[in-house]
Amino acid sequence: WNIPHLRNPNFTGRAEMLEAIEKALAFGQRAALTQVIAGLGGVGKTQLAVEYAYRHAAQYEAVWWVHAEQPATLAADYAGLAAPLTLPEKDAADQRDVVRAVRNWMGRNPGWLLIFDNAPDATSVREYLPQGDCGHVLVTSRDPNWRGTAHLVSVQVMQRTESVEFLCKRTGQADELAANKLADELGDLPLALEQAGAYIEAASQSFAGYLDLFRVHHQKLLERGKPTTDYPATVATTWLISFEAASATR
């Protein structure tokens, strides 16, 4: 077990997506055993993978997280599984030998879950996918093109009822009408909702007060031009609010 994230106590909704992942991984055919969670930045792909790992931890002997954004990090994280498995190749000088040993072990032994987080595309992880049907693979990716490699679950923004429930749970506030207005402005995007909820809780702000703040900063951001980020402008705005608040307290 090396999941780098604590379980999110405010995780809300997503029941249909979790059920789709569970059914796909239990299906028993090769493509189904590699499940891709795909969607735009900020829609909660990583949190979905984390929640699945915690919910199903008891059914696996090993749960291993691989940061898949960069080839070097991917290879190092993957090879890192050799040590807890006490594979003879764990101290091999050539990392490719260690990677090969880990992949072969997974091809022969059941009861493991391997998670590739933020993989650029199918090609980037293809040589790391174990052969056989012994365990389960989860991949999070912004790229939806995995046909022929894996079963795909497309992650969208939260449903409005989920957004409202999340904001109220995250902040401890009960004004659902105001939470609904804020969720609408944030486009029901999970990362934007989390950023807003964190600020509201830390600053003891109301939903309405944060909404006013968001609209002012959002307009400033749009006047500067397109945000230099892969995330939507709503997320860029919530980040800007949090950053300026943090700077003001220094």
Side-chain angles (χ1 to χ4, degrees):
W1 178 275
N2 75 330
I3 303 298
H5 305 276
L6 294 175
R7 191 173 190 178
N8 184 356
N10 299 306
F11 187 90
T12 304
R14 305 302 207 182
E16 291 182 4
M17 293 180 189
L18 284 167
E19 184 179 355
I21 294 169
E22 292 162 3
K23 286 183 177 180
L25 291 177
F27 192 60
Q29 293 186 6
R30 183 69 191 95
L33 297 181
T34 299
Q35 170 69 61
V36 175
I37 302 170
L40 298 175
V43 295
K45 301 181 294 297
T46 294
Q47 283 297 317
L48 200 57
V50 169
E51 181 64 17
Y52 177 87
Y54 276 97
R55 287 192 184 190
H56 297 274
Q59 75 185 63
Y60 298 107
E61 295 291 330
V63 179
W64 201 251
W65 190 278
V66 175
H67 297 88
E69 305 97 301
Q70 301 295 330
T73 307
L74 191 163
D77 284 358
Y78 192 94
L81 182 54
L85 292 178
T86 63
L87 299 181
E89 298 85 355
K90 62 184 175 62
D91 297 318
D94 191 333
Q95 189 181 65
R96 291 173 296 182
D97 293 335
V98 187
V99 167
R100 189 179 304 110
V102 170
R103 187 175 61 242
N104 290 341
W105 181 91
M106 289 193 217
R108 298 190 305 265
N109 295 275
W112 50 263
L113 172 65
L114 182 63
I115 302 172
F116 294 96
D117 187 37
N118 204 21
D121 50 40
T123 303
S124 65
V125 300
R126 186 166 290 136
E127 65 180 285
Y128 295 92
L129 298 178
Q131 299 301 309
D133 303 333
C134 292
H136 294 161
V137 178
L138 266 183
V139 182
T140 72
S141 179
R142 296 185 187 185
D143 184 6
N145 301 306
W146 292 76
R147 186 177 298 276
T149 301
H151 187 273
L152 186 73
V153 164
S154 180
V155 183
Q156 306 298 327
V157 298
M158 298 179 80
Q159 297 179 15
R160 179 57 51 80
T161 54
E162 295 176 340
S163 299
V164 171
E165 180 184 352
F166 172 82
L167 283 172
C168 292
K169 184 188 296 185
R170 181 68 175 83
T171 63
Q173 298 186 26
D175 189 345
E176 293 187 358
L177 181 61
N180 184 79
K181 291 180 180 178
L182 179 56
D184 183 61
E185 197 80 16
L186 298 178
D188 298 300
L189 193 70
L191 186 54
L193 293 167
E194 166 57 27
Q195 291 283 338
Y199 180 94
I200 289 168
E201 181 184 30
S204 299
Q205 179 70 272
S206 67
F207 291 137
Y210 185 88
L211 181 56
D212 291 339
L213 195 63
F214 176 86
R215 285 171 173 165
V216 170
H217 281 74
H218 192 60
Q219 184 59 38
K220 288 181 180 178
L221 195 68
L222 294 179
E223 289 172 358
R224 295 179 189 176
K226 185 178 180 180
T228 56
T229 172
D230 292 335
Y231 292 100
T234 49
V235 173
T237 303
T238 54
W239 271 338
L240 179 63
I241 293 171
S242 299
F243 177 77
E244 292 189 355
S247 298
T249 60
R250 292 174 183 171

